[in-house]
Amino acid sequence: MAAAAVATPEVLRECGCKGIRTCLICERQRGGDPPWQHPPQKTHRFIYYSDTGWAVGAEESDFEGWAFPFPGVTLIEDFVTREEEAEMVQLMDREPWKLSQSGRRKQDYGPKVNFRKQKLKTAGFRGLPSFSREVVRRMGLYPILEDFRPVEQCNLDYCPERGSAIDPHLDDAWLWGERLVSLNLLSPTVLSMSREAPGSLLLCLAPSGFPEALVEGVMAPSRSVLCQEVEVAVPLPRRSLLVLTGAARHQWKHAVHRRHIEARRICATFRELSAEFCPGGRQQELGQELLQISLSFQGRPM
């Protein structure tokens, strides 16, 4: 069963790309020098260390050994077992996958939403899939997620044969709440985080004995780098659970570059409701309805 679950899906000739977004399928079909251009890589790369919560300049870079705190990222390794992973992927593959942009395929379990008009419909939404019941229960065992009640699950299927990727973006904040929770299945990857805000980041010279020494303290800031030139790489191990909150959720865009998809990867992202849809909010009744549907765990992909 496990071997069947991790097999790379058939590469179709069609793609779901629109506008400026492309994948290997449509790039081959268009041929020649593409008029569209992939965004340039950021000038300065930092690596996030989950055991310290700091981002540190990559080796052999201009900022090697320099660091800055990077709050709002929580990584829980081995959140599911290999057997649970294989079973989940097998159940996902029993349902249809829809073509999506940039070489991805997707399965949506949630209301139909028009974010531009800030409208949504519950028609057809029957809840999260049944196999996610245990995943959600297990989330509640961790303090950061003890009151997390997801109202939407989006499964994204990446594969190198399609050139799968996802551009830097911030998730909506009108409907979706403070925490974004993603389960990384089948292969490791890197989440690349960037910020377009003006200004600079203050850096500290990481003391000897890094990364352990950062827990004890660091020297006073003595160097800076422009925010717009920085990319923070967050390594995501296979079967790990990622939680983004605060600045990592609302200020730093996240992306997965094509070069970081080396094998089939499935990301299951869970989203909670914003304050507007929670008790005391302007649309609390609609929020309660969405939660009742979501947590019935009777869903099929929309």
Side-chain angles (χ1 to χ4, degrees), residues 127-201:
L128 302 190
S130 59
F131 59 80
S132 292
R133 185 188 297 271
E134 171 58 22
V135 173
V136 173
R137 184 202 68 79
R138 192 173 300 174
M139 289 179 186
L141 301 178
Y142 295 85
I144 194 173
L145 295 173
E146 60 184 1
D147 59 346
F148 183 73
R149 296 191 295 169
V151 73
E152 192 248 15
Q153 176 178 338
C154 179
N155 301 332
L156 292 179
D157 182 20
Y158 297 72
C159 73
E161 290 81 3
R162 284 185 170 275
S164 300
I166 191 164
D167 289 345
H169 67 283
L170 291 173
D171 279 39
D172 170 78
W174 162 67
L175 178 59
W176 309 136
E178 172 62 19
R179 292 164 291 192
L180 297 179
V181 182
S182 297
L183 181 60
N184 186 55
L185 302 174
L186 294 184
S187 64
T189 192
V190 175
L191 190 73
S192 298
M193 308 195 70
S194 57
R195 188 175 178 180
E196 298 303 324
S200 300
L201 293 166

Side-chain angles (χ1 to χ4, degrees), residues 39-89:
Q41 296 185 30
K42 295 290 184 177
T43 306
H44 305 296
R45 189 167 185 262
F46 287 73
I47 312 298
Y48 176 76
Y49 286 82
S50 60
D51 51 351
T52 66
W54 285 67
V56 181
E59 293 183 2
E60 300 183 359
S61 72
D62 291 343
F63 291 96
E64 179 179 2
W66 293 86
F68 64 95
F70 196 75
V73 178
T74 300
L75 191 66
I76 303 170
E77 297 193 32
D78 296 316
F79 184 77
V80 296
T81 66
R82 285 184 176 273
E83 293 74 20
E84 290 169 332
E85 174 191 53
E87 182 179 4
M88 288 179 64
V89 173

